[in-house]
Amino acid sequence: MRFKSRFNPVGGVTDLLTYIRQPTPHRWPILFASCLMTFGLLFWVTKESVFVPPEPPKVVYISTFAEGRSDEEIRQSNVENQKRKEEREAELAELRQKKVDAYKALGRATGLDVDSMAKQAEAENAREAAAREARQKELYQAGTTLGDKPE
């Protein structure tokens, strides 16, 4: 009962009607502006905007190969690509070696023991490679045991 009596809207409605009945000079423009602002805000807040999903892109496949290549032409192309790849790798290895030699020369010039540092680096690289290989072997074995489950 107490809740119902505390929030009874009858008193508020009668106060509003009493205020509207009072003879004030600008009551209708103020009421109109109040209603306009209220409904304008509600219209702005409740407006629904729908975004249309974009059109899927039109894919055009570009092939740099001739249409009717024979198996022998494909093999020759693969051999040529492999040769180019090996040449690039050889160039990169040569550049890496030049870089290592330059750093070794700098180290010797500053009085560092470059040979022992190189041995430590080789040992560390070998350890990392062994760990990487062991991890790959472990993952491979785990993958094969998952596939061998009896049904």
Side-chain angles (χ1 to χ4, degrees):
M1 275 301 182
R2 183 171 177 213
F3 180 76
K4 199 173 187 184
S5 65
R6 280 184 65 195
F7 297 106
N8 193 354
V10 175
V13 171
T14 55
D15 286 346
L16 177 66
L17 291 176
T18 305
Y19 177 74
I20 289 175
R21 288 186 188 132
Q22 289 177 356
T24 54
H26 302 292
R27 68 178 166 193
W28 295 114
I30 290 174
L31 182 64
F32 177 73
S34 301
C35 291
L36 184 67
M37 286 191 312
T38 303
F39 290 119
L41 181 66
L42 286 175
F43 176 74
W44 179 64
V45 169
T46 61
K47 211 169 35 169
E48 181 180 353
S49 59
V50 177
F51 296 104
V52 178
E55 290 184 24
K58 292 177 177 54
V59 179
V60 177
Y61 296 98
I62 299 173
S63 177
T64 57
F65 300 118
E67 268 300 309
R69 293 191 319 157
S70 67
D71 289 343
E72 185 58 34
E73 290 173 335
I74 293 171
R75 277 190 215 100
Q76 288 298 324
S77 168
N78 290 347
V79 167
E80 290 172 14
N81 288 337
Q82 185 64 32
K83 285 180 185 176
R84 281 196 301 257
K85 177 184 170 191
E86 289 170 357
E87 289 172 2
R88 278 195 308 264
E89 287 175 353
E91 287 176 10
L92 287 174
E94 184 181 335
L95 287 173
R96 274 190 227 108
Q97 187 59 41
K98 285 182 181 179
K99 186 178 178 182
V100 167
D101 292 342
Y103 277 115
K104 282 184 178 181
L106 178 65
R108 283 192 185 99
T110 57
L112 295 175
D113 186 12
V114 179
D115 296 327
S116 67
M117 292 171 67
K119 287 179 186 177
Q120 287 177 352
E122 287 175 9
E124 186 176 329
N125 289 340
R127 244 189 335 269
E128 287 176 1
R132 192 169 36 251
E133 189 174 321
R135 179 69 177 149
Q136 285 179 349
K137 188 175 182 181
E138 178 185 323
L139 290 174
Y140 176 73
Q141 288 175 351
T144 56
T145 56
L146 288 176
D148 294 340
K149 288 184 180 176
E151 294 180 14

